[in-house]
Amino acid sequence: MLFKRHHKPHPIRRLYNFLWPRSGWRRSFKYLFHRVGRLQDTPHGIAAGFASGAAISFTPFMGFHFVGAALLAWLTGGNLLASAIGTVLGNPWTFPFIWYWIYHFGNWILQNTPAQGAPEALTIQLIFQHPGWLLWPMTVGGIPTAIVAWVVFYWPIKKTVASYKRHRHLRREKGRHRRAAHSKTKKQTRAGE
């Protein structure tokens, strides 16, 4: 296949690269910034899509983040690819903090104490048998958090993308004028020979 690795990395190496990018976090975020800025859509579409992905990351429905982000992006007139990129906000580094926040915030909204009715030790089997102990408070805490996250991400990204696209357009125009002037100069020198 074209662009495939000749030697596949070991699964542990792939997991390590997923958790800590080989090129570093700064370069990864810079790439993500340029990738979002170059999407073919309006600043509103890109910002609404990214904000939708970021907002859905604050819900406890892990396996459905891409679908939920795409649905929310469609409802808000956002870009679907930008919504998928926005779900990057929910990652192995941020999920523990997100889940801790939405669980305790949900219990605060419901006026529950976190341990009310919950057993001493939580196991995966117990979570699947009684999903309401965790899922309901996390959902109640996640929805208002997601709404705030959507607004918090939408406005700065819209402004940044509009500025990025404007500068990119000006840079392209300068390049076109420079190439046209260079071509004209070449033609004049050839004519003068």
Side-chain angles (χ1 to χ4, degrees), residues 54-68:
I56 290 297
S57 295
F58 286 94
T59 62
F61 307 111
M62 276 276 294
F64 301 101
H65 280 177
F66 283 122
V67 175

Side-chain angles (χ1 to χ4, degrees), residues 176-188:
R176 275 194 208 109
H177 290 304
R178 201 172 335 150
R179 284 190 301 275
H182 182 69
S183 171
K184 188 176 181 183
T185 308
K186 260 186 169 177
K187 286 179 185 177
Q188 288 174 349

Side-chain angles (χ1 to χ4, degrees), residues 37 42-44 46 156-168:
T42 64
H44 163 76
I46 294 169
I157 289 176
K158 182 178 179 184
K159 189 175 182 181
T160 304
V161 168
S163 174
Y164 182 87
K165 285 187 176 288
R166 188 170 42 255
H167 288 301
R168 189 167 184 236

